[in-house]
Amino acid sequence: MKDNKVAQALKTWTSRLRTKKEERNAVCHVPEETRSDALISVRNLYKKFGKLEVLNGINLDINKGDVVAIIGPSGCGKSTFLRCLNGLETPSAGEIILENEYVFKNERVYLKRKMRAMKEESKKTGKPLPMDEFNAVNEEYLALRKEEKAIAKYMETAINLHRQKVGMVFQQFNLFPHLTVLQNITLAPMKLKKVGEEEAKAKAMELLKKVGLAEKANVYPSTLSGGQKQRIAIVRALAMEPEVLLFDEPTSALDPEMVGEVLKVMTELAQEGMTMIVVTHEMGFAKEVATRVIFMSDGVIKEENAPQEFFTNPKDERLKEFLSKVL
């Protein structure tokens, strides 16, 4: 009887998962003619907090296996960009595409602005509104709104599926203090991916051994050093087997002597082919490990290049000024 209930529950869960996948395919697939080989594509991404514009038109492709280091002055939008990729912040406009599926899309805002500008121009000049052009823009706007609202509605229910693919490691670790290290690592795989307890524990122990912390499996986070906590946070993200890992200044909260042990783990991940986007102040890591380095300032990408060219021959004047202060 118990086996039948388990089998029925598994069948129901599988059916729901299949339905969810079919819904995603119908709503979120990028049209064939605009698909690319990029793992993540970001197009004209904007983010405003009230009147404050934090991201002002980010365009970026991330390919599988890329290690992209993002550097720049405080407040330039680096962390906000990562939070948009992970779904912790909702952008104001633009597109985020993961494996040729829309995660976020809002381009109707541009059409709305165009219609508003047409009205203002008509009012200012006293000329009649060009109704044929206005109606054509409005028709396009209404069609786009329907499509984009469907994507947003789907992502409201599928955000956890997205975060399984796009893991994030935070500056302040964000471990649950009331759970042991092992429980912190196994919680998400068991709850979100329905992994069995024994399998989740085995995977967690394998990852803990990899970062040299197997002996800490049954202790609580309060007993760990900052470097150990951050390594555990990395393991927790890896336990979900993500397609890409986002690191938001993972060493900035650590004592100098603990920075090396975290960077060592990150370097090993890069060598194993993990796709990584790293907001960092560690210029050595950016030089030696990254495949590309990006400089952000004022909410835009000012320069992007391979590490050697980026650091030895910068083109942007603001980047030159920044490097003169940090190197």
Side-chain angles (χ1 to χ4, degrees), residues 63-317:
N63 298 312
K64 193 169 181 62
D66 278 354
V67 179
V68 178
I70 303 177
I71 68 171
S74 297
C76 71
K78 305 184 299 294
S79 295
T80 298
F81 176 56
L82 290 193
R83 291 173 68 84
C84 286
L85 293 181
N86 184 254
L88 291 169
E89 295 286 355
T90 302
S92 303
E95 296 179 353
I96 300 174
I97 299 167
L98 174 66
E99 294 182 316
N100 284 311
E101 291 181 352
Y102 288 113
V103 174
F104 172 83
K105 184 179 182 183
N106 183 356
E107 293 192 323
R108 66 186 185 276
V109 64
Y110 305 125
L111 298 175
K112 195 171 184 178
R113 288 173 188 169
K114 184 175 181 179
M115 289 188 291
R116 188 184 301 124
M118 291 170 71
K119 287 180 178 179
E120 289 173 355
E121 179 68 15
S122 174
K123 187 177 180 179
K124 182 179 177 181
T125 62
K127 295 179 180 179
L129 191 65
M131 291 309 300
D132 287 347
E133 182 183 356
F134 184 86
N135 288 335
V137 174
N138 187 51
E139 189 175 329
E140 186 180 355
Y141 167 80
L142 292 174
L144 203 52
R145 182 176 68 173
K146 183 178 180 180
E147 175 195 347
E148 292 174 353
K149 285 197 169 186
I151 293 170
K153 184 178 180 180
Y154 170 77
M155 286 306 299
E156 284 178 6
T157 61
I159 189 63
N160 286 330
L161 290 174
H162 171 64
R163 289 179 182 149
Q164 288 176 29
K165 294 184 177 183
V166 183
M168 189 157 179
V169 178
F170 300 89
Q171 181 179 336
Q172 296 295 340
F173 325 127
N174 290 2
L175 299 175
F176 294 112
H178 63 292
L179 300 180
T180 66
V181 165
L182 191 61
Q183 289 169 336
N184 263 281
I185 297 167
T186 58
L187 180 64
M190 290 169 60
K191 292 289 185 183
L192 299 179
K193 298 184 75 174
K194 308 302 180 185
V195 175
E197 183 177 358
E198 292 307 313
E199 183 183 347
K201 285 182 177 179
K203 179 68 174 178
M205 290 306 301
E206 178 187 331
L207 291 169
L208 285 171
K209 288 176 184 175
K210 186 175 181 178
V211 300
L213 291 174
E215 75 282 1
K216 301 293 184 181
N218 296 310
V219 307
Y220 288 89
S222 60
T223 67
L224 303 175
S225 69
Q228 290 171 333
K229 288 178 182 177
Q230 195 59 292
R231 281 186 281 165
I232 297 300
I234 293 172
V235 165
R236 181 177 61 180
L238 289 172
M240 294 298 287
E241 300 180 329
E243 295 289 331
V244 57
L245 266 183
L246 313 178
F247 292 83
D248 188 9
E249 299 188 16
T251 61
S252 62
L254 303 180
D255 292 335
E257 67 228 29
M258 297 176 183
V259 169
E261 61 192 49
V262 174
L263 292 181
K264 180 176 180 289
V265 172
M266 293 171 64
T267 300
E268 289 171 354
L269 288 175
Q271 291 170 346
E272 291 168 5
M274 172 60 71
T275 307
M276 300 160 63
I277 307 174
V278 186
V279 169
T280 184
H281 294 299
E282 300 293 335
M283 297 300 121
F285 177 88
K287 282 182 182 179
E288 296 165 19
V289 182
T291 55
R292 272 188 291 160
V293 186
I294 287 170
F295 176 67
M296 282 183 64
S297 183
D298 301 321
V300 299
I301 294 175
K302 294 280 190 178
E303 190 158 334
E304 175 184 355
N305 218 326
Q308 180 68 21
E309 184 70 12
F310 184 93
F311 286 104
T312 60
N313 190 25
K315 308 292 189 302
D316 181 76
E317 290 301 320

